[in-house]
Every structure is written in structure tokens, then in C-alpha cells.
Amino acid sequence: MTAKLIHGYEVVIGFETHTQLATQSKIFSRAATAFGAEPNTQACAVDLALPGTLPVMNREAVACAIKLGLALGSHIAEKSIFARKNYFYPDLPKGYQISQFEIPVVQGGEVSFFLGDEKKTVRLVRAHLEEDAGKSLHEDFIGQSGIDLNRAGTPLLEIVTEPDMSSSEEAVAYAKELHKIVTWIGICDGNMQEGSFRCDANVSVRKPGQPLGTRREIKNLNSFKFMQQAIDYEIRWQIEQIEDGHAIQQATVLFDPDTGETRAMRTKEDAADYRYFPDPDLPPLHISERWIEEQRAQMAELPRAMAARFVADYGLPEYDANTLTQSQSMASYFEDAVKLAGPKEQEKPLAKMVANWMMGELSATLNSRGLDITQSPIGPGLLGMHVHYVFNQKVSNPKALFKALLEAEFQSFDNLVEQIDALVKAKDLTPMNDSGALEKIIDEVIAANADNVAQFRAGKDKAFNALVGQIMKASKGKANPTQVNELLRAKLAG
Ligand code: ADP
Ligand code: MG
């Protein structure tokens, strides 16, 4: 597989993602992590780095790391080490950030996803536990800046990939897949506006066959749309620079959504600049096999495993299985609908039909109304019933029934079958299943179209289709096309 070239250049992208862990309290203190509190109301003595305070590891944050490692097929280190990353910034009261450096808790692993119908796998280097910093607030109207330390000490897992991605589309697809996984396993709320899932994209370009180019790191991409725009801009910019004879300087850059451009914020520090060393206040983190097994037992089925099961058990195409496991609510909607659509023996064709309606008509309806699946006006039970009617040919026009169900306001779901039967009748959607009535129509059409009949007998297939069309029309679309075909062929042969 060859990478896509842009003006003769190959693109190389690696991601560092900060996921904020959904714990009640901070990583090394008991202060709350809730979003949106008054500034500095959730920063305790430890977060403020008052002298004499000591960090105490939050067990829940470690459990999140274990879950992530299990979900991504990583090695979970039996022993990992916390290190101090030293730098000065107003929002960092200790003068260092507690992070992991040489021995992170999660090592290796991978994330697989589909880009169109091509399967991609991005290898992970590591994921390490660390604390977040505070936030500077610039109050322009009084010409002052303040510091809010509520976020200081919030637990993060920084997830680092190998430079395995080769286009902005692939990078965005990776980020979406990772976002799906961390929210699915419940370690992160995934709220990108609130900064719970922040991506840094490392981007470089090179001529094919050359060693890796110098990268620039785009910081804090907090929407998938900006991520795509920022990376595309950065690729174009780097190629232009090189074509103009300038070398790329390693740098950290910010994306400005207003101009659509990236601009350098600082030249990039090297690890040596941070003077990392093991934090003497924290003992090594030990994770027992038993703790890992406890977490494994508690974990819900993962999206990848669930998609594989949908293929094996329901016979769904891989693409459908992947689409239907975009979220847990989507997946359980699907399985509930299939159960209600009919008996286990017919499960496979019913499942494909449910999948088609979910990915087609239902998803179009939800999109146009700005709703997600949990807000669907047609719940899984009703969609299951709909598929039951369509599958068993109890309705002449499936789309019209779907529309009727959307508009119907069922007072209760008791007697649902009677209610839908009444709806089918009221909307004139009863199919013509009575072959006596159909035979009468066919006889009439044959009698009235002698020339078509003659042409068919002379070997022209088109004439047969014309007759079928006439019959469908005469039945007002209610005849079953398969039945029409069979009966007509029999009559013409006779
Ligand atoms: P640092 O420690 O300076 O942040 P790392 O070696 O940890 O650097 O790499 C950070 C990220 O940058 C990783 O995701 C890695 O895959 C990616 N990366 C490294 N080199 C390149 C490159 N030449 N082009 C694009 N991405 C790169
Ligand atoms: Mg790094």
C-alpha cells in the first residue's frame, strides 16, 4: 500500500492525545474535578503546592489506565514510575508537573479503524498518567490576568502514537476511533469543548524514500473539524516552505480557527530541557495481575469485539457492523430491534434489514432533526415492528409505513400490532396478497395488451416488463412484484 502523495510529498503524522479521566477527585489530592466551578474553589493545599503537602495516588485514575491498556491490547506495566517534568509557568504552582517519563503505565498497543472501506492500524507507543496544569484567565477589560487552579491536578492519560498516519483524513479517523474507545469504556466523558479530549498533531512531510522530515506540533485541537483544517493547512505550509528553499524548524504551533492558519508559539523544547527525574514523593506504581483481571471482568464488550460478533452472529457486512458499533446506544438499539423483528431462525435476514433501515431512513431522519439515536422518535421496539411488517410483506409501501410510524403518536405500546394494523389500513398500505384479485387484474392486463403479449411470445423480454408495469399500476402498487412475476409468467406460458 503506497501513501497518498501531495505535490510529490509524503505526509507523516503522529498524535499525542490528552484524555481527561472521569474520576470524582484529582490524581494526587481529594479536591473535586467537576467542570465549571467558580475559579479556585476546587484547588486544595496539594493542588496549590503549599509547603509540607504530599501527593497521594488516586486508585481510580490507575483503574482508568488499566482499562485503556486492556482496550488497546497494550502491555500494562507491573511497575511504573512517576517523574517530575520541570518548567516555569504561572499556572503550575509546584514548578513541575508530575508525569511519567521512562517507564509509563501503558506500553504499546494499537488502534484500528476504517478509512472508507480500507482498514487502518495505528501503533501506540505508550500512554502515561499525569496531572493537568491550571489555567490563565486574561481579563482584557480590566487589563489583568488571573490564575484558576481548579484544573490543576486533574488526572490525564496522554496517549502517544507512532508516526503511522499519512493524511489528515486518516488522522481524524484515528482521533474519532480513540474518542469512541475512551468514552465507550467510560474513562473519559469525551467532551471536546470542555477540553476533556485534546489532541496534539505532529506533522512532517518528506519526499518518498527520504528519512522523516522535521515535525511541527499543532497543540490542543479540540474539534474534529478544526483538526482536519489545521493539519491540511500545516501540510500545505510545510510543502511551500520546502519548495521555497526554507528548512522546517521544529516548533509548537497553534491553530487559529478564525484565520484557518497555524502559527508558531515557541520553538520546541527537547526532553533534556525538562530535567526529568523520578519524583521522590511518590513510590513506584505497582499493578498486580489480580487488579488487571478485576478490571477485565468489569469491562463491557469493546466496540471491535462487538463489531466482530455482529459479523459472525448476524452475518452483517463488516462495514455495517462497524457503523452500528459507533456508540453503545447505537449498538443496543440495533440488537433490541432485531430481537423484536422476528424469531431467532430468521435473525440474519432480519438483522440486515434492521441495519439497512438504521443506516438509511432512520439516520437521515435523525440527521435532519439534529437528534442522536437515544432521542429517536422511533425507538428500537417500533423499528423492530416496522421491519417485521416489511419482512413479512404485510405492507405494500415500506417507506410510507416508516413515515406513518414517524408521525403516529402511539398512546401506549399495548396492542402495538393492532395499532399498526389499523395504521396500515388507514394509510391504504395493505398489500394485495389475495392471488384471486391479482389474477383478475393480470387477466385484464393481458386482454388489453395483445401487442405486448405477442411481442413477448416473439422473444422480447422488454414486453414482459411492460406488462408487469401495467399490473403494478392497476394494483395501485399493492401487488407483490415477485408474485406478479410468477403468475404472469405462468399465464403467458399456458
Ligand atoms: P516529544 O517527546 O518531543 O514529544 P516524541 O518522540 O514523544 O517527542 O514524539 C511525539 C509524537 O510525534 C509522537 O506521536 C510521534 O509519533 C510523533 N513524531 C515523531 N517524529 C515525527 C515526525 N518526523 N513526523 C511526524 N510525527 C512525528
Ligand atoms: Mg511527547
Side-chain angles (χ1 to χ4, degrees), residues 12 68 86 94 100 104 161 243 258-259 274-275 332 398 430 432 461:
V12 175
L68 182 80
N86 299 279
K94 290 198 294 292
Q100 297 191 303
T161 76
E243 289 290 308
D258 294 329
T259 61
Y274 290 121
R275 294 162 290 125
S332 54
T430 315
M432 186 174 282
D461 266 353

Side-chain angles (χ1 to χ4, degrees), residues 243-421:
E243 289 290 308
D244 287 350
H246 304 301
I248 302 293
Q249 301 285 325
Q250 186 165 327
T252 302
V253 307
L254 280 181
F255 176 68
D256 181 348
D258 294 329
T259 61
E261 297 177 358
T262 53
R263 96 192 115 70
M265 178 168 113
R266 54 171 192 250
T267 54
K268 170 84 178 158
E269 298 86 351
D270 281 324
D273 298 327
Y274 290 121
R275 294 162 290 125
Y276 279 102
F277 63 89
D279 191 324
D281 289 343
L282 284 158
L285 173 62
H286 285 281
I287 298 177
S288 65
E289 200 50 44
R290 191 162 142 218
W291 194 2
I292 296 174
E293 289 318 312
E294 266 169 36
Q295 292 301 319
R296 199 197 301 277
Q298 283 172 26
M299 250 167 60
E301 186 181 21
L302 292 169
R304 240 189 313 173
M306 193 181 266
R309 180 167 63 80
F310 283 9
V311 171
D313 290 5
Y314 298 111
L316 288 185
E318 206 163 350
Y319 177 84
D320 296 26
N322 197 46
T323 307
L324 295 172
T325 51
Q326 284 310 305
S327 69
Q328 265 163 325
S329 34
M330 180 101 109
S332 54
Y333 183 109
F334 166 76
E335 294 207 271
D336 290 347
V338 172
K339 265 193 213 105
L340 287 154
K344 183 100 182 132
E345 305 84 74
Q346 295 170 340
E347 191 175 64
K348 285 188 178 179
L350 288 171
K352 180 58 185 148
M353 209 177 236
V354 169
N356 289 349
W357 282 94
M358 281 181 72
M359 298 188 308
E361 219 68 17
L362 183 67
S363 114
T365 305
L366 297 179
N367 282 344
S368 74
R369 299 185 185 188
L371 301 175
D372 75 42
I373 191 93
T374 61
Q375 304 161 311
S376 173
I378 292 187
L382 206 48
L383 190 79
M385 284 305 284
H386 174 64
V387 166
H388 173 81
Y389 273 70
V390 177
F391 184 80
N392 294 294
Q393 301 179 346
K394 290 166 77 173
V395 58
S396 62
N397 182 339
K399 272 196 186 173
L401 177 62
F402 185 85
K403 212 172 140 235
L405 291 175
L406 259 183
E407 286 158 4
E409 279 168 20
F410 295 109
Q411 296 307 323
S412 87
F413 287 109
D414 302 337
N415 310 325
L416 193 55
V417 174
E418 284 87 340
Q419 294 189 70
I420 298 178
D421 280 344

Side-chain angles (χ1 to χ4, degrees), residues 36-92:
E38 280 294 303
N40 298 310
T41 55
Q42 291 180 171
C44 70
V46 175
D47 309 323
L48 297 173
L50 297 186
T53 56
L54 285 171
V56 177
M57 182 75 227
N58 179 346
R59 227 183 127 77
E60 272 310 301
V62 181
C64 291
I66 297 174
K67 284 192 183 122
L68 182 80
L70 289 171
L72 303 178
S74 315
H75 171 66
I76 298 163
E78 191 273 317
K79 175 184 168 188
S80 62
I81 307 284
F82 287 97
R84 290 187 180 179
K85 181 179 182 179
N86 299 279
Y87 65 93
F88 282 101
Y89 205 73
D91 64 15
L92 191 73

